[in-house]
Amino acid sequence: MTNRFERPDRVQFEVQDYATDTLAVRAGQERTPEGEHSDPIYPTSSFVFSSAREAAARFGGEEEGNIYSRFTNPTVRAFEKRIAAMEGGERAVATSSGMAAILALGLSLMKQGDHVVCSQSVFGSTVSLFDKYLSRAGIETTYVDPTDLAAWEAAIRPETRMLFLETPSNPLGEMSDIAALSKVAREHDALLVVDNCFLTPVLQKPLELGADIVMHSATKYIDGQGRCLGGVVVGREAEMEQVFGFLRTGGTCMSPFNAWVFLKGLETLPLRMRAHSDAALQLAKWLEAQPGVERVFYTGLESHPQYELACRQQKGFGGVLSFEVKGDKDAAWRFIDATEMVSITGNLGDVKTTITHPATTTHGRMTPEDRARAGIKDNLIRFSVGLEDIEDLKKDLSRGLQAI
Ligand SMILES: *Cc1c(COP(=O)(O)O)cnc(C)c1O
């Protein structure tokens, strides 16, 4: 996969000469002789050949070209090229969901006897995938405090193949130092994988900081409007070829329609991420000053214990914040039920603001002890700030505050 974008019969642009905002709208498009301006969509399961000889050459890998949409589809390829350019990776492989991206990484880059060191503050299904399913393939996982560099080092064994983390974490915004951990990973011949779902390449570029692989749930900010499920993995050619090999056989591929939606999503991603971030920072500061609020968790606040790292590692703080209300679970539920506009749902990264009670929904399957250890209290509320008017959002939050 070449890292360039093109105008037919005219100029080829090398992606390294362009900024992320430009790549978001232009990278990856392979214009056809029709001269279409917008990205075309190819809803076809297979492709035809001009002769038996060409078919054989394509299947044999001697000739490049499309064969079958489980592993070669031009719309999916355009999405892969665009996100690879934005993350600064050599190649991307798209998957049917964010979880399928982690499954593909696990099954293609590891084997029986390998070991993973994983942040204890990752997406709940990520923990289930490692503990319930990759464990069956003989891959063991140890969980560590994502903020504690010494704990990561101490957990590494000779058979450790992968370090896996999300930064900032959900819902408490704990951070891992990507540059420092990439050195640890390299010293131990392990791969550092960063789930960059919360910040996207607009606000954080893990590969530039030394990570080996970046992955996304495209379902969140990349779509940005809550329409489609998808995932993607980005990294060096060598590892991506292995992930691609798994996808080709494993079949957890992205559909052309979803790839087309995500291409459109990427075009507005820089604008949206900056707007989500600006609004979240304003609301985090506003919430911190409210008497009914115990504590606000957001990497953009000076009160955040890793504020300095956030300023160094991120280009913005993202759209998700959490806060504890003064009171118990019932107070948190009363707060949520008193809001009128925001959506009560577990999803995030949408233009519509969403509100969640983690202890009884996204983190409800954890035991109370595990939840306590993770710092997720019953009075915690997560807020994924959308693109509504900020004063309307404050009014809705005020309704909640009055009800606690
Ligand atoms: C949602 C999410 C996932 C899983 O993605 P799906 O597209 O829902 O499969 C993984 N990581 C993070 C951080 C997420 O928020």
Side-chain angles (χ1 to χ4, degrees), residues 131 178 294 385:
D131 287 353
I178 298 173
E294 187 81 50
V385 182

Side-chain angles (χ1 to χ4, degrees), residues 96-102 122-126 164 166 168 170 195-198 215-220 228-231 347-348 382:
S96 55
S97 69
M99 291 319 303
I102 307 177
V122 289
F123 191 65
S125 297
T126 305
F164 188 99
E166 258 167 55
N170 173 26
D195 182 336
N196 202 24
C197 178
F198 274 62
M215 61 129 307
H216 282 279
S217 164
T219 317
K220 313 293 167 52
C228 292
L229 264 86
N347 199 24
L348 59 92
R382 190 191 70 192

